[in-house]
Short mmCIF file of all heavy atoms in Angstrom, two decimals:
data_model
loop_
_atom_site.label_atom_id
_atom_site.label_comp_id
_atom_site.label_asym_id
_atom_site.label_seq_id
_atom_site.Cartn_x
_atom_site.Cartn_y
_atom_site.Cartn_z
N ARG V 162 -7.41 -88.62 -30.99
CA ARG V 162 -6.17 -89.41 -30.97
C ARG V 162 -6.35 -90.70 -30.26
O ARG V 162 -6.82 -90.85 -29.17
CB ARG V 162 -5.03 -88.58 -30.36
CG ARG V 162 -4.79 -87.34 -31.18
CD ARG V 162 -3.99 -86.33 -30.39
NE ARG V 162 -4.08 -85.15 -31.03
CZ ARG V 162 -3.08 -84.39 -31.61
NH1 ARG V 162 -1.91 -84.95 -31.74
NH2 ARG V 162 -3.25 -83.25 -32.29
N THR V 163 -5.85 -91.73 -30.99
CA THR V 163 -5.79 -93.11 -30.30
C THR V 163 -4.51 -93.16 -29.45
O THR V 163 -3.59 -92.35 -29.60
CB THR V 163 -5.81 -94.17 -31.35
OG1 THR V 163 -4.73 -94.03 -32.23
CG2 THR V 163 -7.12 -94.13 -32.13
N GLY V 164 -4.50 -94.15 -28.58
CA GLY V 164 -3.34 -94.34 -27.69
C GLY V 164 -2.11 -94.84 -28.44
O GLY V 164 -2.23 -95.34 -29.54
N PRO V 165 -0.94 -94.70 -27.84
CA PRO V 165 0.35 -95.02 -28.55
C PRO V 165 0.49 -96.44 -28.87
O PRO V 165 1.13 -96.85 -29.86
CB PRO V 165 1.43 -94.60 -27.56
CG PRO V 165 0.74 -94.49 -26.20
CD PRO V 165 -0.68 -94.14 -26.47
N ALA V 166 -0.18 -97.34 -28.15
CA ALA V 166 -0.21 -98.81 -28.49
C ALA V 166 -1.22 -99.25 -29.38
O ALA V 166 -1.37 -100.49 -29.72
CB ALA V 166 -0.25 -99.61 -27.07
N GLU V 167 -2.06 -98.29 -29.82
CA GLU V 167 -3.23 -98.69 -30.68
C GLU V 167 -2.98 -98.21 -32.17
O GLU V 167 -2.09 -97.37 -32.28
CB GLU V 167 -4.45 -97.93 -30.14
CG GLU V 167 -4.87 -98.53 -28.80
CD GLU V 167 -5.94 -97.57 -28.14
OE1 GLU V 167 -6.00 -96.38 -28.48
OE2 GLU V 167 -6.58 -98.11 -27.24
N PRO V 168 -3.70 -98.75 -33.11
CA PRO V 168 -3.48 -98.28 -34.50
C PRO V 168 -3.71 -96.73 -34.55
O PRO V 168 -4.65 -96.19 -33.99
CB PRO V 168 -4.60 -99.04 -35.24
CG PRO V 168 -4.88 -100.16 -34.46
CD PRO V 168 -4.66 -99.74 -33.02
N GLN V 169 -2.84 -96.09 -35.33
CA GLN V 169 -2.84 -94.60 -35.43
C GLN V 169 -3.73 -94.11 -36.53
O GLN V 169 -3.38 -93.40 -37.37
CB GLN V 169 -1.43 -94.09 -35.55
CG GLN V 169 -0.53 -94.41 -34.40
CD GLN V 169 -1.11 -93.82 -33.02
OE1 GLN V 169 -1.07 -92.58 -32.85
NE2 GLN V 169 -1.46 -94.74 -32.15
N HIS V 170 -5.01 -94.58 -36.45
CA HIS V 170 -6.02 -94.29 -37.54
C HIS V 170 -6.78 -93.04 -37.09
O HIS V 170 -8.02 -93.08 -37.01
CB HIS V 170 -6.88 -95.46 -37.83
CG HIS V 170 -6.19 -96.66 -38.19
ND1 HIS V 170 -5.01 -96.72 -38.92
CD2 HIS V 170 -6.58 -98.01 -38.04
CE1 HIS V 170 -4.62 -97.94 -39.16
NE2 HIS V 170 -5.53 -98.78 -38.64
N TRP V 171 -6.14 -91.91 -36.78
CA TRP V 171 -6.90 -90.79 -36.24
C TRP V 171 -6.61 -89.53 -36.99
O TRP V 171 -5.58 -89.38 -37.75
CB TRP V 171 -6.52 -90.55 -34.81
CG TRP V 171 -5.14 -90.35 -34.45
CD1 TRP V 171 -4.19 -91.33 -34.05
CD2 TRP V 171 -4.36 -89.16 -34.46
NE1 TRP V 171 -3.00 -90.76 -33.82
CE2 TRP V 171 -3.04 -89.45 -34.10
CE3 TRP V 171 -4.69 -87.78 -34.88
CZ2 TRP V 171 -2.09 -88.43 -34.02
CZ3 TRP V 171 -3.72 -86.82 -34.81
CH2 TRP V 171 -2.49 -87.07 -34.39
N VAL V 172 -7.60 -88.59 -36.91
CA VAL V 172 -7.42 -87.24 -37.35
C VAL V 172 -7.88 -86.35 -36.31
O VAL V 172 -8.88 -86.56 -35.64
CB VAL V 172 -8.33 -86.97 -38.65
CG1 VAL V 172 -8.23 -85.57 -39.14
CG2 VAL V 172 -7.96 -87.95 -39.80
N ASP V 173 -7.12 -85.27 -36.08
CA ASP V 173 -7.45 -84.32 -35.00
C ASP V 173 -6.92 -82.99 -35.23
O ASP V 173 -6.01 -82.87 -36.16
CB ASP V 173 -6.92 -84.89 -33.56
CG ASP V 173 -7.64 -84.31 -32.39
OD1 ASP V 173 -8.56 -83.53 -32.56
OD2 ASP V 173 -7.06 -84.53 -31.24
N ILE V 174 -7.20 -82.01 -34.51
CA ILE V 174 -6.65 -80.69 -34.64
C ILE V 174 -5.54 -80.59 -33.56
O ILE V 174 -5.47 -81.36 -32.59
CB ILE V 174 -7.66 -79.54 -34.39
CG1 ILE V 174 -8.20 -79.56 -32.96
CG2 ILE V 174 -8.78 -79.65 -35.39
CD1 ILE V 174 -8.82 -78.18 -32.57
N ALA V 175 -4.61 -79.58 -33.76
CA ALA V 175 -3.60 -79.31 -32.80
C ALA V 175 -4.19 -78.45 -31.65
O ALA V 175 -4.08 -77.25 -31.79
CB ALA V 175 -2.38 -78.71 -33.42
N ASN V 176 -4.75 -79.12 -30.69
CA ASN V 176 -5.42 -78.29 -29.56
C ASN V 176 -4.52 -77.35 -28.87
O ASN V 176 -4.84 -76.21 -28.59
CB ASN V 176 -6.15 -79.24 -28.68
CG ASN V 176 -7.50 -79.74 -29.18
OD1 ASN V 176 -8.47 -79.10 -29.20
ND2 ASN V 176 -7.50 -81.06 -29.67
N ASP V 177 -3.33 -77.92 -28.57
CA ASP V 177 -2.40 -77.04 -27.85
C ASP V 177 -1.90 -75.89 -28.67
O ASP V 177 -1.86 -74.79 -28.17
CB ASP V 177 -1.15 -77.89 -27.38
CG ASP V 177 -0.59 -78.69 -28.56
OD1 ASP V 177 -1.14 -78.74 -29.63
OD2 ASP V 177 0.53 -79.26 -28.33
N ALA V 178 -1.65 -76.10 -29.98
CA ALA V 178 -1.20 -74.96 -30.81
C ALA V 178 -2.37 -73.96 -30.98
O ALA V 178 -2.05 -72.77 -31.10
CB ALA V 178 -0.80 -75.49 -32.14
N ALA V 179 -3.54 -74.40 -31.06
CA ALA V 179 -4.72 -73.54 -31.26
C ALA V 179 -4.82 -72.61 -30.01
O ALA V 179 -5.12 -71.40 -30.14
CB ALA V 179 -6.04 -74.25 -31.43
N MET V 180 -4.69 -73.15 -28.81
CA MET V 180 -4.79 -72.35 -27.55
C MET V 180 -3.60 -71.41 -27.43
O MET V 180 -3.70 -70.34 -26.95
CB MET V 180 -5.04 -73.27 -26.32
CG MET V 180 -5.31 -72.47 -25.14
SD MET V 180 -6.86 -71.43 -25.28
CE MET V 180 -8.12 -72.68 -25.17
N ALA V 181 -2.41 -71.87 -27.95
CA ALA V 181 -1.28 -70.99 -27.95
C ALA V 181 -1.54 -69.81 -28.79
O ALA V 181 -1.12 -68.63 -28.53
CB ALA V 181 -0.07 -71.76 -28.44
N ALA V 182 -2.23 -69.98 -29.94
CA ALA V 182 -2.55 -68.82 -30.82
C ALA V 182 -3.47 -67.82 -30.12
O ALA V 182 -3.31 -66.66 -30.27
CB ALA V 182 -3.14 -69.33 -32.10
N VAL V 183 -4.31 -68.28 -29.22
CA VAL V 183 -5.18 -67.46 -28.48
C VAL V 183 -4.36 -66.60 -27.49
O VAL V 183 -4.57 -65.38 -27.46
CB VAL V 183 -6.21 -68.23 -27.68
CG1 VAL V 183 -6.99 -67.43 -26.67
CG2 VAL V 183 -7.26 -68.93 -28.65
N VAL V 184 -3.47 -67.17 -26.87
CA VAL V 184 -2.59 -66.47 -25.92
C VAL V 184 -1.77 -65.43 -26.67
O VAL V 184 -1.60 -64.29 -26.20
CB VAL V 184 -1.69 -67.47 -25.08
CG1 VAL V 184 -0.73 -66.64 -24.20
CG2 VAL V 184 -2.55 -68.36 -24.26
N ARG V 185 -1.13 -65.84 -27.85
CA ARG V 185 -0.41 -64.79 -28.57
C ARG V 185 -1.21 -63.63 -29.03
O ARG V 185 -0.84 -62.49 -28.98
CB ARG V 185 0.18 -65.58 -29.75
CG ARG V 185 1.35 -66.44 -29.44
CD ARG V 185 2.19 -66.84 -30.68
NE ARG V 185 1.35 -67.47 -31.74
CZ ARG V 185 1.20 -68.75 -31.78
NH1 ARG V 185 1.76 -69.60 -30.85
NH2 ARG V 185 0.42 -69.37 -32.70
N HIS V 186 -2.47 -63.92 -29.41
CA HIS V 186 -3.46 -62.87 -29.89
C HIS V 186 -3.67 -61.95 -28.68
O HIS V 186 -3.65 -60.68 -28.82
CB HIS V 186 -4.78 -63.49 -30.28
CG HIS V 186 -5.89 -62.58 -30.37
ND1 HIS V 186 -5.94 -61.52 -31.26
CD2 HIS V 186 -7.06 -62.47 -29.69
CE1 HIS V 186 -7.11 -60.92 -31.11
NE2 HIS V 186 -7.82 -61.47 -30.14
N LEU V 187 -3.98 -62.49 -27.47
CA LEU V 187 -4.28 -61.58 -26.35
C LEU V 187 -3.03 -60.82 -25.87
O LEU V 187 -3.13 -59.63 -25.48
CB LEU V 187 -4.85 -62.46 -25.16
CG LEU V 187 -6.23 -63.10 -25.48
CD1 LEU V 187 -6.61 -64.07 -24.39
CD2 LEU V 187 -7.30 -62.02 -25.64
N ALA V 188 -1.89 -61.52 -25.87
CA ALA V 188 -0.64 -60.82 -25.44
C ALA V 188 -0.33 -59.68 -26.41
O ALA V 188 0.14 -58.65 -25.94
CB ALA V 188 0.54 -61.81 -25.36
N ALA V 189 -0.57 -59.92 -27.73
CA ALA V 189 -0.25 -58.83 -28.65
C ALA V 189 -1.14 -57.66 -28.49
O ALA V 189 -0.79 -56.48 -28.87
CB ALA V 189 -0.45 -59.39 -30.14
N LEU V 190 -2.33 -57.82 -27.80
CA LEU V 190 -3.28 -56.73 -27.61
C LEU V 190 -2.92 -56.01 -26.23
O LEU V 190 -3.55 -55.01 -25.89
CB LEU V 190 -4.72 -57.26 -27.52
CG LEU V 190 -5.22 -57.72 -28.80
CD1 LEU V 190 -6.67 -58.33 -28.60
CD2 LEU V 190 -5.37 -56.60 -29.87
N GLY V 191 -1.84 -56.49 -25.57
CA GLY V 191 -1.40 -55.88 -24.36
C GLY V 191 -1.83 -56.49 -23.03
O GLY V 191 -1.43 -56.05 -22.01
N HIS V 192 -2.46 -57.69 -23.09
CA HIS V 192 -2.92 -58.35 -21.85
C HIS V 192 -1.72 -58.96 -21.24
O HIS V 192 -0.98 -59.77 -21.98
CB HIS V 192 -4.04 -59.38 -22.19
CG HIS V 192 -5.29 -58.70 -22.72
ND1 HIS V 192 -6.16 -58.08 -21.92
CD2 HIS V 192 -5.80 -58.54 -24.01
CE1 HIS V 192 -7.18 -57.63 -22.64
NE2 HIS V 192 -7.01 -57.85 -23.92
N ARG V 193 -1.51 -58.78 -19.96
CA ARG V 193 -0.45 -59.38 -19.26
C ARG V 193 -0.95 -60.31 -18.12
O ARG V 193 -0.11 -61.04 -17.52
CB ARG V 193 0.44 -58.30 -18.69
CG ARG V 193 1.29 -57.54 -19.73
CD ARG V 193 2.24 -58.52 -20.42
NE ARG V 193 2.87 -57.98 -21.58
CZ ARG V 193 2.51 -58.14 -22.81
NH1 ARG V 193 1.43 -58.88 -23.11
NH2 ARG V 193 3.19 -57.54 -23.87
N ARG V 194 -2.19 -60.32 -17.78
CA ARG V 194 -2.79 -61.31 -16.87
C ARG V 194 -3.98 -61.89 -17.52
O ARG V 194 -4.99 -61.20 -17.80
CB ARG V 194 -3.23 -60.58 -15.53
CG ARG V 194 -2.08 -59.97 -14.75
CD ARG V 194 -2.50 -59.42 -13.44
NE ARG V 194 -3.54 -58.42 -13.57
CZ ARG V 194 -3.34 -57.12 -13.86
NH1 ARG V 194 -2.09 -56.75 -14.11
NH2 ARG V 194 -4.30 -56.27 -14.03
N ILE V 195 -3.90 -63.19 -17.87
CA ILE V 195 -4.89 -63.90 -18.61
C ILE V 195 -5.31 -65.09 -17.79
O ILE V 195 -4.58 -65.88 -17.33
CB ILE V 195 -4.42 -64.35 -19.98
CG1 ILE V 195 -3.83 -63.17 -20.79
CG2 ILE V 195 -5.48 -65.05 -20.75
CD1 ILE V 195 -3.16 -63.53 -22.08
N GLY V 196 -6.66 -65.22 -17.62
CA GLY V 196 -7.22 -66.36 -16.99
C GLY V 196 -7.59 -67.42 -17.98
O GLY V 196 -7.94 -67.14 -19.09
N TYR V 197 -7.56 -68.75 -17.54
CA TYR V 197 -8.02 -69.81 -18.36
C TYR V 197 -9.14 -70.50 -17.72
O TYR V 197 -9.02 -70.97 -16.52
CB TYR V 197 -6.87 -70.81 -18.67
CG TYR V 197 -7.31 -72.02 -19.43
CD1 TYR V 197 -7.60 -71.92 -20.73
CD2 TYR V 197 -7.47 -73.27 -18.85
CE1 TYR V 197 -8.01 -72.99 -21.52
CE2 TYR V 197 -7.88 -74.33 -19.52
CZ TYR V 197 -8.25 -74.23 -20.86
OH TYR V 197 -8.66 -75.27 -21.54
N LEU V 198 -10.30 -70.66 -18.40
CA LEU V 198 -11.44 -71.42 -17.90
C LEU V 198 -11.49 -72.71 -18.66
O LEU V 198 -11.92 -72.72 -19.83
CB LEU V 198 -12.72 -70.56 -18.07
CG LEU V 198 -14.03 -71.08 -17.66
CD1 LEU V 198 -14.01 -71.49 -16.15
CD2 LEU V 198 -15.17 -70.17 -17.97
N GLY V 199 -11.30 -73.81 -18.03
CA GLY V 199 -11.28 -75.11 -18.68
C GLY V 199 -12.24 -76.06 -17.99
O GLY V 199 -12.73 -75.91 -16.94
N ALA V 200 -12.44 -77.13 -18.80
CA ALA V 200 -13.37 -78.23 -18.22
C ALA V 200 -12.48 -79.40 -17.77
O ALA V 200 -11.30 -79.40 -17.62
CB ALA V 200 -14.37 -78.55 -19.30
N ASP V 201 -13.16 -80.52 -17.65
CA ASP V 201 -12.51 -81.74 -17.07
C ASP V 201 -11.37 -82.15 -17.90
O ASP V 201 -11.48 -82.41 -19.13
CB ASP V 201 -13.63 -82.81 -17.07
CG ASP V 201 -13.22 -84.04 -16.18
OD1 ASP V 201 -11.98 -84.22 -15.94
OD2 ASP V 201 -14.05 -84.85 -15.91
N GLU V 202 -10.26 -82.29 -17.24
CA GLU V 202 -9.02 -82.68 -17.96
C GLU V 202 -8.91 -84.06 -18.33
O GLU V 202 -7.97 -84.53 -18.90
CB GLU V 202 -7.76 -82.21 -17.12
CG GLU V 202 -7.55 -80.70 -17.15
CD GLU V 202 -6.15 -80.37 -16.58
OE1 GLU V 202 -5.19 -81.09 -16.86
OE2 GLU V 202 -6.22 -79.46 -15.78
N GLU V 203 -9.91 -84.93 -17.90
CA GLU V 203 -9.97 -86.29 -18.32
C GLU V 203 -10.30 -86.36 -19.83
O GLU V 203 -10.04 -87.37 -20.48
CB GLU V 203 -10.99 -87.10 -17.54
CG GLU V 203 -10.59 -87.29 -16.08
CD GLU V 203 -11.66 -87.99 -15.33
OE1 GLU V 203 -12.68 -88.45 -15.89
OE2 GLU V 203 -11.50 -88.25 -14.08
N LEU V 204 -10.82 -85.31 -20.38
CA LEU V 204 -11.10 -85.19 -21.80
C LEU V 204 -9.71 -84.70 -22.42
O LEU V 204 -9.17 -83.67 -22.15
CB LEU V 204 -12.11 -84.13 -22.08
CG LEU V 204 -13.50 -84.35 -21.48
CD1 LEU V 204 -14.47 -83.16 -21.72
CD2 LEU V 204 -14.12 -85.69 -21.95
N PRO V 205 -9.11 -85.58 -23.25
CA PRO V 205 -7.76 -85.28 -23.74
C PRO V 205 -7.66 -84.01 -24.45
O PRO V 205 -6.61 -83.31 -24.41
CB PRO V 205 -7.45 -86.54 -24.61
CG PRO V 205 -8.70 -87.23 -24.91
CD PRO V 205 -9.65 -86.89 -23.73
N TRP V 206 -8.70 -83.59 -25.20
CA TRP V 206 -8.55 -82.34 -25.89
C TRP V 206 -8.59 -81.16 -24.93
O TRP V 206 -7.92 -80.16 -25.27
CB TRP V 206 -9.70 -82.25 -26.96
CG TRP V 206 -11.16 -82.48 -26.41
CD1 TRP V 206 -11.96 -81.57 -25.92
CD2 TRP V 206 -11.78 -83.80 -26.38
NE1 TRP V 206 -13.24 -82.15 -25.51
CE2 TRP V 206 -13.06 -83.52 -25.81
CE3 TRP V 206 -11.47 -85.03 -26.73
CZ2 TRP V 206 -14.02 -84.58 -25.64
CZ3 TRP V 206 -12.36 -86.01 -26.56
CH2 TRP V 206 -13.61 -85.84 -25.99
N MET V 207 -9.26 -81.30 -23.84
CA MET V 207 -9.21 -80.25 -22.80
C MET V 207 -7.85 -80.13 -22.17
O MET V 207 -7.33 -79.06 -21.90
CB MET V 207 -10.33 -80.36 -21.84
CG MET V 207 -11.75 -79.98 -22.32
SD MET V 207 -11.79 -78.12 -22.67
CE MET V 207 -13.48 -77.90 -23.15
N ALA V 208 -7.29 -81.30 -21.90
CA ALA V 208 -5.95 -81.24 -21.33
C ALA V 208 -4.95 -80.71 -22.20
O ALA V 208 -4.07 -79.89 -21.80
CB ALA V 208 -5.60 -82.74 -20.99
N ALA V 209 -5.12 -80.87 -23.49
CA ALA V 209 -4.07 -80.38 -24.48
C ALA V 209 -4.33 -78.88 -24.56
O ALA V 209 -3.37 -78.06 -24.73
CB ALA V 209 -4.34 -81.00 -25.83
N ARG V 210 -5.54 -78.36 -24.43
CA ARG V 210 -5.78 -76.86 -24.53
C ARG V 210 -5.17 -76.26 -23.35
O ARG V 210 -4.52 -75.15 -23.51
CB ARG V 210 -7.27 -76.58 -24.69
CG ARG V 210 -7.81 -76.97 -26.04
CD ARG V 210 -9.36 -76.97 -26.07
NE ARG V 210 -9.86 -77.72 -27.20
CZ ARG V 210 -11.13 -78.07 -27.43
NH1 ARG V 210 -12.06 -77.61 -26.66
NH2 ARG V 210 -11.43 -78.78 -28.51
N ARG V 211 -5.33 -76.73 -22.22
CA ARG V 211 -4.77 -76.19 -21.01
C ARG V 211 -3.25 -76.14 -21.06
O ARG V 211 -2.65 -75.17 -20.66
CB ARG V 211 -5.24 -76.99 -19.82
CG ARG V 211 -4.75 -76.35 -18.48
CD ARG V 211 -5.21 -77.26 -17.24
NE ARG V 211 -4.97 -76.68 -16.00
CZ ARG V 211 -3.87 -76.74 -15.35
NH1 ARG V 211 -2.79 -77.48 -15.83
NH2 ARG V 211 -3.76 -76.24 -14.10
N ALA V 212 -2.68 -77.27 -21.49
CA ALA V 212 -1.22 -77.38 -21.67
C ALA V 212 -0.68 -76.33 -22.65
O ALA V 212 0.30 -75.64 -22.41
CB ALA V 212 -0.75 -78.75 -22.10
N GLY V 213 -1.46 -76.20 -23.76
CA GLY V 213 -1.03 -75.15 -24.73
C GLY V 213 -1.08 -73.73 -24.23
O GLY V 213 -0.25 -72.90 -24.50
N PHE V 214 -2.12 -73.53 -23.37
CA PHE V 214 -2.27 -72.17 -22.77
C PHE V 214 -1.17 -71.85 -21.89
O PHE V 214 -0.50 -70.80 -21.90
CB PHE V 214 -3.65 -72.15 -22.08
CG PHE V 214 -3.74 -70.88 -21.20
CD1 PHE V 214 -4.33 -69.74 -21.73
CD2 PHE V 214 -3.43 -70.85 -19.85
CE1 PHE V 214 -4.50 -68.56 -20.94
CE2 PHE V 214 -3.64 -69.73 -19.02
CZ PHE V 214 -4.15 -68.56 -19.59
N LEU V 215 -0.82 -72.77 -20.99
CA LEU V 215 0.24 -72.52 -20.00
C LEU V 215 1.59 -72.38 -20.63
O LEU V 215 2.43 -71.53 -20.23
CB LEU V 215 0.29 -73.63 -18.93
CG LEU V 215 -0.96 -73.66 -18.03
CD1 LEU V 215 -0.91 -74.92 -17.11
CD2 LEU V 215 -1.11 -72.38 -17.20
N ALA V 216 1.88 -73.23 -21.63
CA ALA V 216 3.18 -73.22 -22.31
C ALA V 216 3.40 -71.93 -23.04
O ALA V 216 4.44 -71.28 -22.92
CB ALA V 216 3.28 -74.41 -23.22
N GLN V 217 2.34 -71.42 -23.75
CA GLN V 217 2.51 -70.12 -24.42
C GLN V 217 2.56 -69.03 -23.55
O GLN V 217 3.22 -67.93 -23.80
CB GLN V 217 1.33 -70.01 -25.46
CG GLN V 217 1.48 -68.77 -26.38
CD GLN V 217 2.76 -68.86 -27.21
OE1 GLN V 217 3.11 -69.88 -27.81
NE2 GLN V 217 3.53 -67.68 -27.20
N ALA V 218 1.77 -69.14 -22.31
CA ALA V 218 1.84 -67.97 -21.40
C ALA V 218 3.30 -67.78 -20.95
O ALA V 218 3.77 -66.66 -20.75
CB ALA V 218 0.83 -68.21 -20.22
N ARG V 219 3.96 -68.95 -20.68
CA ARG V 219 5.37 -68.80 -20.21
C ARG V 219 6.27 -68.15 -21.32
O ARG V 219 7.04 -67.31 -20.98
CB ARG V 219 5.91 -70.14 -19.81
CG ARG V 219 5.25 -70.74 -18.52
CD ARG V 219 6.08 -71.97 -18.05
NE ARG V 219 5.96 -73.10 -19.03
CZ ARG V 219 4.95 -73.99 -18.99
NH1 ARG V 219 4.01 -73.91 -18.04
NH2 ARG V 219 4.99 -74.99 -19.86
N ARG V 220 6.03 -68.62 -22.45
CA ARG V 220 6.86 -68.05 -23.62
C ARG V 220 6.64 -66.59 -23.83
O ARG V 220 7.48 -65.85 -24.17
CB ARG V 220 6.59 -68.87 -24.91
CG ARG V 220 7.17 -70.29 -24.91
CD ARG V 220 7.08 -70.89 -26.29
NE ARG V 220 5.76 -71.10 -26.73
CZ ARG V 220 5.11 -72.35 -26.55
NH1 ARG V 220 5.73 -73.29 -25.92
NH2 ARG V 220 3.84 -72.44 -27.02
N SER V 221 5.35 -66.12 -23.57
CA SER V 221 4.94 -64.73 -23.88
C SER V 221 5.26 -63.84 -22.68
O SER V 221 4.90 -62.65 -22.74
CB SER V 221 3.50 -64.69 -24.34
OG SER V 221 3.29 -65.45 -25.46
N GLY V 222 5.64 -64.41 -21.59
CA GLY V 222 5.77 -63.60 -20.37
C GLY V 222 4.56 -63.07 -19.81
O GLY V 222 4.55 -62.03 -19.20
N VAL V 223 3.46 -63.94 -19.91
CA VAL V 223 2.16 -63.52 -19.42
C VAL V 223 1.89 -64.26 -18.09
O VAL V 223 2.21 -65.40 -17.90
CB VAL V 223 1.09 -63.98 -20.43
CG1 VAL V 223 -0.30 -63.82 -19.89
CG2 VAL V 223 1.22 -63.10 -21.69
N SER V 224 1.26 -63.48 -17.14
CA SER V 224 0.85 -64.07 -15.85
C SER V 224 -0.44 -64.86 -16.16
O SER V 224 -1.46 -64.29 -16.59
CB SER V 224 0.61 -63.00 -14.82
OG SER V 224 0.09 -63.56 -13.66
N ALA V 225 -0.41 -66.15 -15.80
CA ALA V 225 -1.53 -67.09 -16.12
C ALA V 225 -2.17 -67.59 -14.80
O ALA V 225 -1.49 -67.98 -13.91
CB ALA V 225 -1.16 -68.22 -16.99
#
Side-chain angles (χ1 to χ4, degrees):
R162 298 164 197 248
T163 58
E167 296 166 339
Q169 299 299 294
H170 302 328
W171 57 264
V172 178
D173 198 8
I174 66 162
N176 282 282
D177 51 353
M180 191 56 77
V183 171
V184 175
R185 288 195 300 271
H186 164 67
L187 294 172
L190 293 174
H192 296 282
R193 290 295 173 263
R194 293 187 304 279
I195 304 175
Y197 176 73
L198 178 60
D201 192 342
E202 285 190 47
E203 292 181 1
L204 302 175
W206 51 92
M207 281 296 184
R210 290 169 198 175
R211 184 182 189 275
F214 172 86
L215 292 174
Q217 187 59 48
R219 288 192 296 270
R220 289 191 292 266
S221 299
V223 169
S224 175

